[in-house]
Every structure is written in structure tokens, then in C-alpha cells.
Amino acid sequence: MSTAGTGQAEADRGEKGGVRTALAGLTTRGRSFLAAGVAAAVCSYVLGQADLLRVGLLLAVLPLVCATVLYRTRYRVAGSRRLAPARVPAGSEARVHLRMDNVSRLPTGLLMLQDRVPYVLGPRPRFVLDRVEAGGRREVSYRVRSDLRGRYPLGPLQLRLTDPFGMCELTRSFSTYDTLTVIPRVEPLAPVRLSGEAKGYGEGRQRSLALAGEDDVIPRGYRYGDDLRRVHWRSTARYGELMVRREEQPQRARCTVLLDTRGIAYAGAGPDSAFEWAVAGAASVLVHMLERGFSVRLLTDTGNAVPGEGGDGFAGASQGSADAAGLMMDTLAVIDHSDGAGLSRAYDVIRGGNEGLLVAFLGDLDEEQAAVVARMRQRSGGAVAFVLDSDTWTREPGDVPGPLDGSGERLRMLREAGWTALGVPRGVSLDALWRQADRERRGVAAASGGEGP
């Protein structure tokens, strides 16, 4: 839930500008009264009728007085906006709540409220508010929805003020605005066991003993509650106080999600395109691995990661895992195609350390880029690749498949390098491919007599 700060309508600076603004706000009725008053005054002078002059002055002064009063009372209305929620998956709705407060001692006239929203979120909402009493409040709401991820500004809020006689109408804009973040859809994934994950210590954790032998013990001082069976007597005798062996240190398993954003690797656009499927798939895997306790990292073909991400990625199963997921979702909400032609920058980042489990979402691969991806397997404990072939994603349902373009050969190269590589046809769910990847891994492991890649 997000709340935009309360703001008041912006004031016009300069007395002359204020007069021009007030006169420009005269409605058709107000202009007609003013013109009739001037005409009556001219006729009274020509005909010498003093009573007609009084009528003309009344007709001319009434819209001017209404415009002046309305212009001077524009500061008395305050408004605020609240989003529920401020971050919403693509295709889901968010509700925007608007609140208007009359902070003056006088009641308002008819108020017409309008909020500015991008066209992808729907039509521009408009509301008519009846007379608001002194110190009163009015609340209205509307829904927004987008099938396209991104960050969309809402506002500024516009308010039309009218006088009781309908002589003048002024439009004021509030200074506050809010931002709606539309994140990729996250698909729940089955808790399969992929390689690169440690065995025997919970979900996604592994143990590394702090002591490799009796001579490599790193003791620490005894603390209340420590097990006496862990007392290290040799160190106790040396330091003259109780010393205990350092406990086993849990080492968190790591997962790197590689997202290929090259513009040349994808064809088509829109919410059902191959690139949007890859972005949604990366988001699903990131959230899934965070929930299982992995330290996760998002990497693109340009070598960039999420701003604020540590060297080992974001830690899962912790108090900050929700914030970490939010940061990654915000990054994926605005990610776009890159101008790069290769994956060498991502390979340079991966080559620097052990990535644990590597999950890649790749577009079209030529032979050179397939070889780069194949070498990434050497620095990971397990590797799963989802390759999206543009030909299958742009083909219409009734079209006849063309000749093979080498996509099968690219998958074979990755599999020979140790990847669990799957082609992604149009319309398939990530969860189904996720389960298929686990079955293929188990099949390779059974054939080799071990766990396999």
C-alpha cells in the first residue's frame, strides 16, 4: 500500500497572471452575463436610461465577483492519493483511492475531479463531487490494470472548481503524484531438486566444517549454554580458560539467474512475446529460489545485476528476503532489450567464481554464442537452460514449420557441455518445463550412475 503526500492546488504567481487566469475560467454563462452587462451599460448611455445602467452593472459584476471569489478560495481544498497495492503483477488490478478535504470554513461548490493516468492503464477517471461542507471529506476510488510490465506515473490530480451560479470554472493541479509498478507474473514452481543444491541440510543449504583436523581447530571462548562435549582441552590448557570448538558453519547455496536481453535474440513484442515469457520465467525462478533459502543473483547479458545486490546475491529465507524480491521485481519491471550482440560480458562475470546453480533464459543462439554459454557450465554446480526459438514463437497456428535452423544443434551443444537444456515452445508453462528439467537431470544421473548435472 502506498500513500501520496497530501497536496494543495498550485497557485498562480503574479497579480496580473491571477486576473487573466480568473477571467479565462469564465464559463459560457459567465461570458454571456458579462457581454449582456456591457451591452446594457452602452445602451443606457446612448438612451439615457439610468435604470438600464444599474441592470448592466449587475449583470457584468456578478461573473467577475464569482471569478474573484473562486480564484481566492482555490487554496482551501487539499487532496491525496493512495495505491493498494503499489506493486502489482501484470494482468492484475490495483485500486487507487482519492481523498478530497475541504480545509476552509466555508462549504465548496460543485467539484469535478480528474486524475491523469497513462493510456495503458485504462481511461482517464473523472468524478463529480457535490457540495463539501466545511471541514468535510470525500473519498472516491477507481481501478487500473495493465498487461504490460513497467512503472507508470499517476497524477498530478486535477480539480475543477465552480461557483454556485456556474459563472466560472477553474482547473487546478496538485503537486503530488504516485507511481504504480507492474511487475512480471510469477508462476509457482514445483520444489524439485536440481543439481548445485546441497544434500542433507535443509532446503538449499550445505555445511562446511570449520575444522579440517585436530591441528586446524579454531576455538573460541566458552559461552553459557555451549555443549560441554565440544570443549577443546588442549586450547583450554593453553589459554587458561574454557575453549570450545567452533560449531559447523552453514554455507548458503547459491543460484544465479541469467537473463538474455539481447534485442537480436528475440522476435515479436507484446505481453505474449518470447521476451516477456523469459522475463516472467526469470522472476519466477528468482522468487522460488529465495523461498527455498538460496542466495540468488540476477545477471543479464550486459554483465549487470540488481542495484544494491551483494557479491553473493540476495540471501533467501531471511527477514530481508521480501525486500530482496521486491528489488529484483522492480528491476525486472523496467528491464528492456539491450543493444549487445553477445554473452561474453555475462561469461566474464560468471568466470570469476562458483555460481552454484545456474539457470539461464536464452533467446536465439548462433554457434559462437552457444559455445560461450557452454563454457559457463564449468563454473557452476548445475546448469539449466531454457532456450526460446523465435521461429516457433512468431509462427501462426496454421503455418507449416520451416526447415530446421540449427536450434536443435544448439541444444545438443549445451547438453554435451553438461547443461540441462530445453527448448521453449509457445504457450508452455514454466512449471511444466521445470518438472521436465528435473526428470531429464534424473535420467542423466541414472545413466551415469551418479547425481549428474
Side-chain angles (χ1 to χ4, degrees), residues 198-407:
K199 298 180 287 185
Y201 190 51
E203 292 294 341
R205 293 190 180 96
Q206 58 188 3
R207 290 191 173 198
S208 63
L209 294 179
L211 49 101
E214 190 66 21
D215 296 333
D216 297 326
V217 171
I218 304 177
R220 62 169 176 83
Y222 175 82
R223 298 171 186 170
Y224 179 77
D226 284 339
D227 191 349
L228 292 178
R229 290 175 296 182
R230 292 176 42 235
V231 174
H232 190 256
W233 298 109
R234 181 179 299 178
S235 298
T236 299
R238 178 184 302 175
Y239 294 102
E241 60 176 330
L242 280 178
M243 305 293 290
V244 297
R245 293 182 177 89
R246 194 177 299 273
E247 65 273 8
E248 295 176 344
Q249 301 292 331
Q251 181 179 354
R252 195 179 303 275
R254 300 176 59 185
C255 174
T256 297
V257 177
L258 172 62
L259 176 61
D260 183 6
T261 63
R262 296 174 299 143
I264 61 175
Y266 300 93
D272 297 327
S273 63
F275 181 66
E276 293 301 321
W277 192 97
V279 173
S284 302
V285 173
L286 287 170
V287 172
H288 177 72
M289 290 302 179
L290 269 178
E291 293 175 348
R292 300 192 66 185
F294 278 70
S295 291
V296 298
R297 179 171 67 163
L298 174 63
L299 184 66
T300 65
D301 57 287
T302 60
N304 297 327
V306 179
E309 184 180 89
D312 292 334
F314 291 108
S318 63
Q319 293 181 352
S321 60
D323 296 334
L327 286 174
M328 289 187 290
M329 292 301 104
D330 289 344
T331 301
L332 290 175
V334 296
I335 201 167
D336 202 356
H337 291 294
S338 68
D339 298 329
L343 299 166
S344 57
R345 292 184 180 179
Y347 172 70
D348 292 338
V349 175
I350 294 176
R351 186 175 55 180
N354 186 5
E355 299 301 317
L357 177 62
L358 177 60
V359 182
F361 292 87
L362 307 169
D364 290 334
L365 297 174
D366 55 22
E367 186 174 357
E368 179 182 356
Q369 300 309 316
V372 173
V373 176
R375 291 197 299 270
M376 294 180 185
R377 174 65 179 85
Q378 302 172 2
R379 303 302 302 174
S380 63
V384 181
F386 300 98
V387 183
L388 292 85
D389 182 15
S390 295
D391 181 63
T392 62
W393 280 81
T394 56
R395 186 188 308 141
E396 295 297 330
D399 293 347
V400 178
L404 294 178
D405 57 356
S407 59

Side-chain angles (χ1 to χ4, degrees), residues 2 6 12 15 20 73 79 103 145 155 170 182 194 215 230 243 253 329 362 406-407 419 435 451:
S2 175
T6 301
D12 292 323
E15 192 173 319
R20 287 195 298 265
T73 59
V103 296
R145 179 182 181 275
L170 296 181
V182 181
L194 298 172
D215 296 333
R230 292 176 42 235
M243 305 293 290
M329 292 301 104
L362 307 169
S407 59
W419 285 80
R435 296 172 184 270
E451 185 177 347

